[in-house]
Amino acid sequence: MERTLQKAVVLGSGVMGAAIAAHLANAGLSVTMLDRKIGGQRLAQTALEQLPRQKPSPLYSKRVLERIRAGSFEEDLTAVGEADWVIEAIVEQLEAKQELLAEVEKHWKTGTIVSSNTSGISIAAMSRQTGESFRRYFMGTHFFNPPRYMKLVELIPTEETDPEAVAAVKRFCESRLGKRVVLAKDTPNFIANRIGTYGLLVTMHEMAKHGLSVSAVDALTGPVLGRPKSATFRTLDMVGLDTFVHVANNVHRQASDPEEKAAFEVPAVMKEMLQNGQIGEKAGRGFYQVVRTGGEKVIEQWDAASGSYIARDKARFPSLEAARNAKTLKEKLRVLTEAGDPGGRFVWTVMKKVLLYSAYKLPEIADDPLAVDEAMKWGFNWELGPFETWDALGVERTAKRMKDEGDTLPSWIEDMLAAGRTSFYEKKEGRTFYFLPVGQAKELYRRPEFLSLRSLKERQGAVLMSNAGASLIDLGDDVACLEFHSPNNAVGPDILQMLFRSLEEVRSHYRGLVIANEGRHFCVGANLMLLLMEAQDDNWLEIDRMIRQFQEASMAIKYFEKPIVSAPFGMTLGGGVELAIPAAVVQASAETYMGLVETGVGLIPAGGGTKELLMRFTRNVDYDGKVDLQPFVNRAFETIGMAKVSTSAQEAKELGYLRTTDRISLNRDSQLYDAKRMVIALSDAGYSPPERESCRVVGEPGRAVLQMALYQMRGGGHITEHDELIGRKLAHVLTGGQRPANAVVSEQALLDLEREAFLSLCGEPKSQARMQHMLLKGKPLRN
C-alpha cells in the first residue's frame, strides 16, 4: 500500500494532541485539530494559540502554525471524511474513546487510517463496537512525549488490522515524521512503559530496602548506567507523579499474575506524595524542590522517613567512583554490578529484576529481544536495552549468578544457553543476528538509509586515515566521510589537518565527501581553550596562523571541485557553522541548532562566517548593483551581533544560515545516508564548484548607520561598553572596512578584515574574561 498522507485530523487538543498536531504540521501535513466546545470557548483554538509559547517548542517554526486549523467535535467532525489519517488523543478513558470512535465512523471513508495515541488502553477493546471495515484500518500509534523530540512511536495493530496499513504508517512515521517505530503487542502499557514502569517501581522498593536517598539513587541510575542525566527521580518529576501512577495502575488493574500484580502496586510513599500534591515540576515540588536561600537556588530532596525536604547528599560508593573512571559503558556496568558495597548491590538487584522481567514478558509484549531493546533506547533514552545490557554483562555468568541467588530463568533462555548460545546478539561476517524466544536466529534488518559510522568502522579497511580529532571513512559507492571525534567535536588543528588530507584523498579516489559525525552535537565551535591560552601568552603569530588555516579550510570546502555535503545536527555553533555552510549542499537534521555565537565570548566569526553571511544576504538581492543593501547588511549585523541560534533546521533557513537549496532530514538516523545520496546525485549531475565572487559593500556611510544603532543601544543601557566595541569591529567588517559606499571587494579582502578584527579582540582583557567564563561556567559573561 503506497500511501501519500497529506491531511490529518487530530482528535483532542490536550498536551499530547496539540503536540502531535504540531509535529504533523512540522512534517508538512495540513492538520485539523478538534476538541470540545465548553460554553463559547473552543478548546482546540485555545491550545493552538498556546503552541508558540510552549518550551521546548513543539514547532520547527512559527510559520508551521499556518498548516493547523482548529475546530470542534460538535461542528467540524465532518473533516474526518477528507483526512488521510485520523489520530485520537483524548482523555485516557476507554468509554470516552469508544464513544468518540463511534462518531468518527459516521464520517469515516473506507481506507482512511485511524489510530489512537493511548499509552496503554487496549486497542482491540477500543474499537470493538465499530464495523469490521473500520477495524481493518484501526491501530495504536503511541507517540512518546514530547512528540517533536522523542524518537519512539510504538505501533500497535490488532489481529484484525490490515498489515499493509500497518506498513504504510510505519514507513510514514520513519520517513516523514523522523521517528523510529517498534511493533508492540496489544497488552497493558505496551513495551517501553511496561518495562520502564516496572523498573522504576523495583527501584523504589530496593531504595527503601538498601536505605538510599533520592539523590543517591539518581547518582547510581544515570549516565553511569548509560541512562539520561535525569536518571530516576528527576525523570519522574518531569513526567509527573500523577501520570506515572496512572500508568502503573493500568498494569496493576489488568495483570492476572499475582506476583506481577504485586510488583505494580504503587508504594505508600508515592500515594502520600500524590495526595499532598507533590507531583513534580508542574507543581513546583516532587522528589525534588527548588528553594531560594540567600538569593541562590538550592535543590532539596524528599526524605520519606522524616516527611520533609532535606539537603541533597553526595553519593559516595567505591563502586560508583570506579565505574565513573571506567572507559566503556560495558566496563562501567560490570564494575558497578560486581561490586560488594551498598551502591553496587542496589544496582545489581534492580538490574537483575529488570532483565528477568523483560525476558519473562517475551513473547507477550513483543516478538523478540530487539523490539524491547529498541523501545527502551528510543523511548527512555537508554544507551543499551535490557538484552544488550545482559550481553554486556555476560549472559552465561549473569545467568549463573541469578540462579545461585535463587532466581529462575525463563525456559527459552535456558534452552538458548543449553544450545551453546551465550549472547542474544551475534555478529557473523559483518552482519548482526539476534535470537528469538523460540530459538531461531534472525538477522537484524537495517534499512540502507540507517547508515551508521560506528558500524562501518568495524569493517576492515573502512577507516582510511585518522588522527586525534578526525577520521576519513569509506562510506561505499566511492563516497568518503570526514568524521569529527575530538572532545565536544571542537575544531582544532588536528581536524583542519585531517580536512586538508581528506580533500587530497577524495580528489584522487572518490566522487565526493560527506562531513558528518555521530557525536552528541555536530560541532560546538573552535577550540576555545587553545585560543585563550595562546592569547594569554600573547602568541599573536600563532593565533593569526590558526585563523588563516580555518579560513583556508572553509574556502577549500566551498570551491572544491567535487561535491561536498555537510550533515550538521544538534548544536552547530561558531566554527561548526563555518565548516558546514560552505558545502555544496547542507543536509541538516531537523533538530539543528545553528548559530554564529562568537560575540558571546567577546569575538566575531573569523573562519569565514561573517563574510559568508554578508555575501549570502546581499547576493540574493544585488542583481544589478542598484539595490540599497543597507537593510540586508543590518540583518547580517543583527544575526551575528545578537548571536542568534536557530531552534530547528527550518528556522536556520529563516535566519539565513541555510539556503533554500539545502536539505533537511527529519529522521536523524537517515541523515548520513541522505547526505551520501546527495553527493552521488550531485556527482551524477556533473557537479562543478561555484565561481569565485566579489561583494558590493555599503562602505563608511553604512558603517555610520550601524554605529549610530550601537550608540543608541549603549545609551539605553541595552549593551555594555565592551558589547559596543565588539559591535564596532563587526560593523567594520560587514561594511567593507575603510571603503566608500558601493565599493566592490573580494572574498579574501573580507576574510582579511575578519581576521584583523578577531585578532584585536583576542587582545582585549574583557574578551579574554568572556572566554574564560564560558569555559568555566558554560554560559556568556556580560562585562
Side-chain angles (χ1 to χ4, degrees), residues 71-84:
S72 67
F73 294 152
E74 294 83 357
E75 299 172 347
D76 303 294
L77 207 55
T78 54
V80 167
E82 302 299 318
D84 302 308

Side-chain angles (χ1 to χ4, degrees), residues 167 270 747:
M270 281 187 165
E747 280 188 274

